[in-house]
Amino acid sequence: MRRDRDLDAWEVFCLVAQSGSISKACETLNMDASAVSRLIKGLEESLGNLTLFDRTSRPLRLTLNGEIAYRYGREMLTQHQTMLDALERDPLAMRGTIRVGLPPQVLQNFLLPLIVAFHREYPDIYLSVHEYTASTPVNFDTRSGMLDLVMGYGADTTHDNIVQIYYGNGYLIPCASPLYLSRYGTPENPEDLIKHTGVIFQSPMRPPVRQLSKDGVTKTLVWGKEMAFDSASGALNATLYGVGIHPGIPSLHCWHDINAGKLVPVLKGWRGPDIKLYIYVRPEAAKQKRIQLFIERYRQYMDNLHEQCEQCLRPYLGELPMRVRAN
């Protein structure tokens, strides 16, 4: 059999390329190393005795031909999965796979109870959960394969064919630890931040908070010092440890610590730009009942979380714009 026409061989090759290790790929594939090596060797032979990996390097590296093969191999596997999704014979079936991309901190801190409960209630639906950290425009095609839906921030204005569901706001709150404030004092207005250290978070999903607004007035922040993080959890933990003032922790990620007295909101009434919360869905996936059900459960779950959050933060934020409730 010509391995270059074998989708299984291409899947094995792509997994080895992604992991850089045959042994790591074996764990995912539940295959032994010798079988994986034979498949890759057969693929190389069927492509004209090309060498796809530099086997002298650790981790394994792709050769130039290997990089070309990997790019087109992933496209081939993605197109094959897209075809299977488009050929869904029973969109009402409550079985099959849901591939969902979630922001890492939301996934790790809040969503595991939802995922466990959904799995118990619908054991014939396989949830494939992936950490998603990109900004818009949304890219459903990831290194882990084609996603069905993604949770993120802000409307995608470049894709008019995907389904976009706006389901509420996140609020960015300036916070510091009691330890930091006891050492360096509490700022009374944004101009006071020149005397303080800013804990700055920046990632592809969300730009850093460089301005705060209150009652229609916007001020640009100027810090005495800054410490930057590309991890939301890293920036939050640094703030808890007393490194400095975080100018905009999302309300969902700070209300527990505020309630417990581990964080203190500062600059009362000032906050960063509101975060628009969105669910993005591929058109083919949006027609499937299992996807619709997961979206409904997700929205209900998040709506309850945000209600608790807003009740806790009302003394600091006042009355907030009405949330978009799940039906």
Side-chain angles (χ1 to χ4, degrees), residues 246-275:
H246 194 313
I249 304 178
S251 51
L252 194 63
H253 299 302
C254 66
W255 72 278
H256 277 299
D257 290 321
I258 290 173
N259 204 33
K262 297 179 181 179
L263 285 176
V264 178
V266 296
L267 303 173
K268 185 175 181 180
W270 292 90
R271 66 176 193 249
D274 294 347
I275 304 172

Side-chain angles (χ1 to χ4, degrees), residues 10 19 22 27 63 102 128 131-132 183-184 197 269 317:
W10 283 107
S19 64
I22 288 178
E27 296 174 7
T63 62
L102 300 167
S128 180
E131 291 188 350
Y132 188 87
R183 289 177 174 174
Y184 301 103
T197 298
L317 299 181

Side-chain angles (χ1 to χ4, degrees), residues 143-324:
R143 291 180 65 88
S144 303
M146 182 69 73
L147 301 177
D148 295 309
L149 65 160
V150 169
M151 282 58 173
Y153 309 118
D156 185 339
T157 58
T158 62
H159 292 145
D160 56 5
N161 60 326
I162 66 173
V163 177
Q164 303 187 53
I165 304 169
Y166 165 62
Y167 68 96
N169 292 333
Y171 304 100
L172 300 177
I173 307 172
C175 290
S177 72
L179 174 63
Y180 178 87
L181 296 176
S182 68
R183 289 177 174 174
Y184 301 103
T186 301
E188 298 297 328
N189 56 66
E191 288 81 1
D192 293 340
L193 297 180
I194 190 65
K195 305 172 186 176
H196 292 272
T197 298
V199 178
I200 309 301
F201 166 63
Q202 180 172 354
S203 82
M205 283 197 99
R206 189 155 48 84
V209 176
R210 294 296 185 185
Q211 294 182 324
L212 295 177
S213 299
K214 177 182 179 181
D215 300 329
V217 177
T218 298
K219 296 287 183 71
T220 298
L221 308 184
V222 180
W223 300 94
K225 298 178 182 178
E226 291 187 4
M227 183 175 291
F229 294 83
D230 63 2
S231 159
S233 59
L236 175 58
N237 288 334
T239 308
L240 288 166
Y241 277 115
V243 168
I245 297 174
H246 194 313
I249 304 178
S251 51
L252 194 63
H253 299 302
C254 66
W255 72 278
H256 277 299
D257 290 321
I258 290 173
N259 204 33
K262 297 179 181 179
L263 285 176
V264 178
V266 296
L267 303 173
K268 185 175 181 180
W270 292 90
R271 66 176 193 249
D274 294 347
I275 304 172
K276 303 296 183 183
L277 307 175
Y278 271 83
I279 302 170
Y280 319 98
V281 196
R282 288 194 298 112
E284 302 92 335
K287 300 174 185 177
Q288 298 170 5
K289 185 177 179 181
R290 63 180 180 270
I291 303 289
Q292 297 167 3
L293 176 66
F294 183 81
I295 292 171
E296 176 187 344
R297 294 297 174 85
Y298 177 86
R299 290 190 62 188
Q300 291 173 347
Y301 185 85
M302 294 302 291
D303 191 66
N304 289 334
L305 270 180
H306 281 283
E307 185 172 3
Q308 297 174 51
C309 168
E310 290 168 21
Q311 287 177 355
C312 172
L313 296 177
R314 191 163 287 122
Y316 309 102
L317 299 181
E319 292 297 327
L320 297 168
M322 185 175 295
R323 283 173 289 111
V324 181

